[in-house]
């Protein structure tokens, strides 16, 4: 099974900061990588798919990069709505694996 | 619009079974699979399993093989996830989601309590 390692687990930042979250796959997944944002009590919301494609309606301050085994999610200028938990997800085959999650907190 | 509506919260005793439903609308059910994901309180997301909306082919997380079953009723565009021999560790919100990047259901809280 493919394992996903996400870091950091917690990130403290201020409004306006540039934030980067990384995700590493245990084997190559090409670009079958998505990023989700989750707020408490809500289902995850898709931000990015195919490693770097922005989902419709998602602000352009979110961007993704990487391929193979190493991926990053970047928020260029953190906004108040962005304080949430973020997950990477590989969908290389008919199974998914999630990273452990990164909670972005207010500094 | 694409919508997945799940059944309501459940409280079960250890050793019992639970079956959660997920009714899809707004798209052709047979064209997409449905994945199930669970989230224990305060924890991350864990993939449970997948079923094809086309031919019923399934794939389950290794740790749940033997206890979990995923099925569909194509006549009602509904997917089901059944989990047997429940333990306290199965307490979680269970989500269905259209594979691979589609809408998610609202989640169903399954509580295992004696």
């Amino acid at each position: 099974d493919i394992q996903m390692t996400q870091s950091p687990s917690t990130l403290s930042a201020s409004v306006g900061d540039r934030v980067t979250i990384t995700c590493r796959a245990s084997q190559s997944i090409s670009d079958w990588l998505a990023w989700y944002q989750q707020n408490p009590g809500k289902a995850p919301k898709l931000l990015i798919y195919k490693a770097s494609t922005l989902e419709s309606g998602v602000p352009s301050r979110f961007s993704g990069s990487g391929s193979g085994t190493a991926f990053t999610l970047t928020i260029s200028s953190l906004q108040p709505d962005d304080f949430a938990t973020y997950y990477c997800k590989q969908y290389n085959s008919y199974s998914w694996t999630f990273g452990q999650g990164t909670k972005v907190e207010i500094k | 619009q694409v919508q997945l509506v799940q059944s309501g919260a459940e409280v079960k005793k250890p050793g019992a079974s639970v079956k959660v439903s997920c009714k899809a609308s707004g798209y052709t059910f047979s064209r997409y699979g449905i994945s199930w994901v669970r989230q224990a309180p305060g924890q991350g997301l864990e993939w449970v399993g997948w079923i094809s909306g086309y031919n019923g082919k399934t794939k389950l997380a290794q740790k749940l093989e033997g206890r979990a079953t995923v099925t569909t009723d194509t006549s009602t565009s509904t997917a089901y996830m059944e989990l047997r021999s429940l333990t306290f560790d199965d307490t979680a919100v269970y989500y269905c989601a259209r594979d691979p990047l589609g809408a998610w259901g609202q989640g169903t809280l399954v509580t295992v309590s004696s």
Side-chain angles (χ1 to χ4, degrees):
Chain A
D1 288 356
I2 300 172
Q3 308 300 317
M4 304 299 293
T5 304
Q6 187 176 337
S7 62
S9 55
T10 308
L11 191 159
S12 296
S14 303
V15 172
D17 284 353
R18 181 182 181 89
V19 162
T20 299
I21 299 168
T22 64
C23 194
R24 187 168 297 273
S26 59
Q27 65 189 71
S28 177
I29 57 171
S30 183
D31 58 359
W32 300 114
L33 191 283
W35 290 97
Y36 288 84
Q37 177 192 67
Q38 188 181 34
N39 285 296
K42 301 291 188 182
K45 172 190 172 185
L46 179 65
L47 299 175
I48 301 237
Y49 62 95
K50 277 213 96 186
S52 60
T53 303
L54 197 65
E55 172 72 344
S56 175
V58 173
S60 59
R61 63 181 180 272
F62 291 93
S63 64
S65 64
S67 66
T69 62
F71 303 88
T72 61
L73 171 71
T74 299
I75 309 172
S76 60
S77 178
L78 204 61
Q79 298 302 301
D81 283 350
D82 302 339
F83 292 97
T85 301
Y86 295 83
Y87 294 92
C88 63
K89 180 191 91 177
Q90 72 80 19
Y91 55 105
N92 184 53
S93 59
Y94 295 119
S95 66
W96 299 352
T97 315
F98 293 92
Q100 298 89 335
T102 296
K103 185 174 183 179
V104 177
E105 298 180 328
I106 301 174
K107 188 185 242 182
Chain B
Q1 76 281 20
V2 175
Q3 205 170 5
L4 300 177
V5 178
Q6 299 182 222
S7 48
E10 303 263 14
V11 180
K12 297 291 183 181
K13 293 193 182 301
S17 298
V18 69
K19 191 170 186 178
V20 179
S21 69
C22 169
K23 183 169 177 59
S25 61
Y27 71 97
T28 302
F29 186 75
S30 60
R31 289 190 178 175
Y32 297 88
I34 293 282
S35 275
W36 291 89
V37 174
R38 70 180 182 178
Q39 186 169 37
Q43 302 302 308
L45 301 168
E46 179 185 20
W47 178 77
V48 172
W50 167 87
I51 184 165
S52 166
Y54 175 66
N55 59 13
K57 178 180 175 182
T58 63
K59 193 165 184 179
L60 294 170
Q62 200 168 8
K63 69 180 283 189
L64 294 174
E65 282 179 358
R67 285 205 304 131
T69 304
V70 290
T71 57
T72 58
D73 180 345
T74 55
S75 69
T76 60
S77 299
T78 303
Y80 298 91
M81 190 283 304
E82 182 177 25
L83 192 59
R84 299 173 294 280
S85 302
L86 291 167
T87 72
F88 298 121
D89 289 344
D90 293 317
T91 294
V93 175
Y94 288 75
Y95 294 100
C96 61
R98 196 183 78 170
D99 190 69
L101 300 165
W104 289 54
Q106 82 276 19
T108 296
L109 176 61
V110 174
T111 303
V112 183
S113 173
S114 55

